[in-house]
Amino acid sequence: MTSVRRLVPEDVPKAVPIINAQYSASYEETPFTAESFADYLRNRKPTVLVAEDSGRILGVVSLIVWPWGNCIDLLAAVQTSENQLIEDLLVNKLEQVARADSIYTNVEEGSPLISRWESRGYYKEGGVYHLTIPLRRQMQVPPTKCCASIRNLRSDELGSLVGLMNRSFGFERLDMDGARSWWEIPGFSEEWIKVAEVDNRIVSATVCMVDQEYSKHFGRLRGYLGPAATLPEYRNMGLTSALTVTALNFLFSKGMESAAMYIFEDNKASLGLALKIGFRIAKHWVCMNKYLKKSELQ
């Protein structure tokens, strides 16, 4: 009889092949190793459940709590005639243990998996784009409308950056521990954080990094650009464009061949700006959302 329980360390060598087989044909898929999956557990701190029958692992599901919502990040089952039943069992159990009033997952646009999620009571609500741009030369930084100074973050400004990010996004997207963790990335420093200053005040910022997984797996250096955060009173002044191009030029100077970023589907302004700069939409995921009944909450 199949039962569902929490993942324990001894399950990892059995769970990883199931996950890799499930996602082998996915967009830019980077297979897990036992070590990288351990990093995933340590860094993302997901809730991970496994389906088991007579000591055999049959499936895995993972839930990550992001500041903006609770996301089913992984769902995989052994490829048998009962794999959908195993997945349904895992999702149902995860919904029971999720400490949230709603839960979502991202599915590639046009995928037949959309209908599977709909059969579980999920519905389409927004989505997210993955955008990429080749880096072949330095680009001209567009002027701003408020005479902002574009520079690197200083070492004593991390608290100001965290406050800016959270006020800009309207929720606690970042805390000091999360920001300090960037310095655990090899080679990271304040120069990877670009800020716009007006009247001795940071009013906009963006963070860039090396896309470590992509660069290692595909053998091509690619940078990653976080979403620019701008205080409400300084929006529509060209700051995001100036910061984005400055960050792209910096990534080019560091040897990156391309750069990537994510933009939520409903952020039309940022999407239009990115496309104008030269990004292209590489992938579109649909967000499948479900509101959980009170009886399902813990």
Side-chain angles (χ1 to χ4, degrees):
M1 180 177 179
T2 303
S3 60
V4 176
R5 59 170 174 78
R6 299 265 182 169
L7 176 108
V8 296
E10 292 75 20
D11 297 326
V12 171
K14 302 175 184 177
V16 164
I18 296 173
I19 296 170
N20 289 342
Q22 182 83 28
Y23 290 94
S24 61
S26 298
Y27 170 72
E28 290 192 356
E29 175 59 21
T30 303
F32 279 116
T33 63
E35 292 76 18
S36 65
F37 192 71
D39 289 340
Y40 171 82
L41 297 175
R42 181 172 56 255
N43 297 330
R44 299 289 175 84
K45 298 178 174 57
T47 297
V48 183
L49 305 179
V50 297
E52 180 185 43
D53 189 350
S54 302
R56 182 188 177 203
I57 301 299
L58 301 177
V60 187
V61 67
S62 166
L63 178 76
I64 295 179
V65 178
W66 296 111
W68 51 86
N70 292 257
C71 176
I72 298 178
D73 188 52
L74 298 171
L75 176 62
V78 292
Q79 300 302 303
T80 69
S81 59
E82 297 185 344
N83 70 315
Q84 188 167 346
L85 294 175
I86 296 168
E87 290 180 357
D88 289 345
L89 180 65
L90 285 164
V91 171
N92 181 264
K93 185 62 177 179
L94 191 65
E95 291 172 355
Q96 294 176 32
V97 302
R99 297 179 179 275
D101 57 4
S102 67
I103 195 169
Y104 77 95
T105 191
N106 292 317
V107 183
E108 292 185 17
E109 183 185 36
S111 169
L113 294 178
I114 291 176
S115 61
R116 282 200 192 180
W117 285 100
E118 288 175 333
S119 71
R120 299 177 182 124
Y122 289 71
Y123 61 93
K124 297 179 184 178
E125 187 177 49
V128 62
Y129 295 106
H130 186 233
L131 296 97
T132 60
I133 185 173
L135 300 178
R136 301 189 180 98
R137 56 179 174 78
Q138 293 280 334
M139 294 184 282
Q140 183 174 353
V141 178
T144 66
K145 298 178 182 178
C146 55
C147 300
S149 171
I150 307 297
R151 60 172 175 81
N152 299 334
L153 185 79
R154 300 188 185 110
S155 59
D156 61 347
E157 294 177 322
L158 195 57
S160 298
L161 176 71
V162 170
L164 164 68
M165 291 281 186
N166 294 336
R167 186 181 167 202
S168 171
F169 288 103
F171 58 88
E172 189 177 353
R173 183 185 178 94
L174 181 67
D175 59 24
M176 289 296 289
D177 288 341
R180 291 191 185 102
S181 71
W182 297 334
W183 274 260
E184 298 173 8
I185 301 171
F188 189 85
S189 68
E190 288 83 2
E191 67 176 345
W192 293 79
I193 304 173
K194 306 302 179 184
V195 302
E197 180 185 64
V198 177
D199 296 331
N200 299 313
R201 179 189 183 198
I202 297 176
V203 299
S204 186
T206 190
V207 181
C208 54
M209 302 176 182
V210 178
D211 190 335
Q212 301 278 357
E213 289 187 0
Y214 177 92
S215 299
K216 181 178 180 180
H217 182 67
F218 293 98
R220 298 189 298 273
L221 286 176
R222 185 170 80 181
Y224 167 74
L225 215 58
T230 304
L231 294 178
E233 60 268 33
Y234 285 92
R235 290 172 185 166
N236 302 313
M237 294 186 180
L239 295 174
T240 298
S241 296
L243 281 171
T244 299
V245 173
T246 298
L248 291 174
N249 286 342
F250 172 77
L251 290 172
F252 176 76
S253 74
K254 290 294 185 179
M256 302 298 122
E257 301 172 44
S258 63
M261 67 189 305
Y262 294 92
I263 294 179
F264 284 110
E265 185 180 282
D266 59 357
N267 193 343
K268 305 296 185 184
S270 292
L271 178 61
L273 183 151
L275 295 175
K276 185 177 180 180
I277 288 173
F279 281 89
R280 68 172 184 88
I281 296 173
K283 180 58 66 175
H284 179 202
W285 289 274
V286 175
C287 178
M288 305 298 296
N289 190 68
K290 182 179 182 179
Y291 286 97
L292 303 179
K293 298 176 183 178
K294 293 294 183 181
S295 60
E296 294 174 319
L297 300 179
Q298 298 296 301

